[in-house]
Amino acid sequence: EDAVFFTMLLSGSNADGPTMLETTRQLFNTTDGTKASANAAITPAAVAKGYEALRTRKGVGADGTYLALTPSILLTGPAKEFEAAQLLAPIQAAQASNVNPYVGKLQQVTAPHITGNAWYMLASPAEAPILMYGFLSGESGPRMRMDEPFGVQGIGYSVEEDFGCGATDWRGGFKNAGA
């Protein structure tokens, strides 16, 4: 399931995700503001750009209502895990200008499928889901079938799983290709 999910998430050119039907653009792109225009390491200034992008997202409709999404997940690969941990570490600053505003605000998630320097900020899936997964007919995982054919000594087993995933909305995500 992990492999299928991350193959979908990292598909397309520059691993910017699948093409969305609504926009005919990849999930992460600079036109919709879901991808940073400049590659950057995980720094307070770069994360602030992600916050700004998610906070200023507008909803569907002509009125253009701001969604004011709150980033809750900082998703990285192993190459950026330490950098993300440093940003989110609770440190007592001696000066107000050195206070880390991101302590306790983002959950760090590291996935081995993400290679290189790319990192992602995602709104809470409860607030603005961008990805979805599911199983056939309400199954919650693999199902097993046992067969005892007449006249044959032994039992045959088959294990089947029908799993699917996809991108559902672009508004709750932000990607930086990293540096």
Side-chain angles (χ1 to χ4, degrees):
E1 296 165 6
D2 250 14
V4 170
F5 180 82
F6 279 100
T7 297
M8 176 273 306
L9 179 65
L10 303 172
S11 65
S13 62
N14 299 317
D16 286 339
T19 300
M20 304 298 292
L21 291 175
E22 179 184 353
T23 63
T24 66
R25 293 181 287 275
Q26 286 182 266
L27 178 60
F28 300 107
N29 65 80
T30 56
T31 303
D32 294 322
T34 55
K35 184 176 179 183
S37 56
N39 300 356
I42 302 173
T43 64
V47 170
K49 292 286 186 192
Y51 262 84
E52 180 183 359
L54 287 171
R55 293 277 193 208
T56 57
R57 287 280 152 75
K58 292 186 177 182
V60 178
D63 64 349
T65 304
Y66 285 105
L67 297 174
L69 300 173
T70 302
S72 69
I73 298 169
L74 180 58
L75 175 64
T76 69
K80 290 294 180 179
E81 182 176 13
F82 184 74
E83 205 170 286
Q86 279 185 314
L87 177 81
L88 302 177
I91 306 170
Q92 298 299 324
Q95 294 178 307
S97 61
N98 293 334
V99 169
N100 183 351
Y102 303 112
V103 172
K105 298 202 184 233
L106 294 168
Q107 174 189 358
Q108 180 183 353
V109 177
T110 304
H113 302 283
I114 299 172
T115 58
N117 295 325
W119 52 275
Y120 305 80
M121 289 177 60
L122 308 170
S124 166
E127 185 179 23
I130 64 169
L131 307 164
M132 178 181 275
Y133 73 92
F135 300 92
L136 182 65
S137 298
E139 296 287 337
S140 60
R143 57 191 183 283
M144 188 166 72
R145 188 177 58 161
M146 183 177 79
D147 187 25
E148 291 184 72
F150 181 77
V152 176
Q153 291 184 350
I155 298 173
Y157 293 97
S158 69
V159 178
E160 300 171 338
E161 181 177 35
D162 296 305
F163 173 80
C165 57
T168 57
D169 193 5
W170 53 270
R171 290 169 185 85
F174 179 79
K175 175 185 178 181
N176 191 304

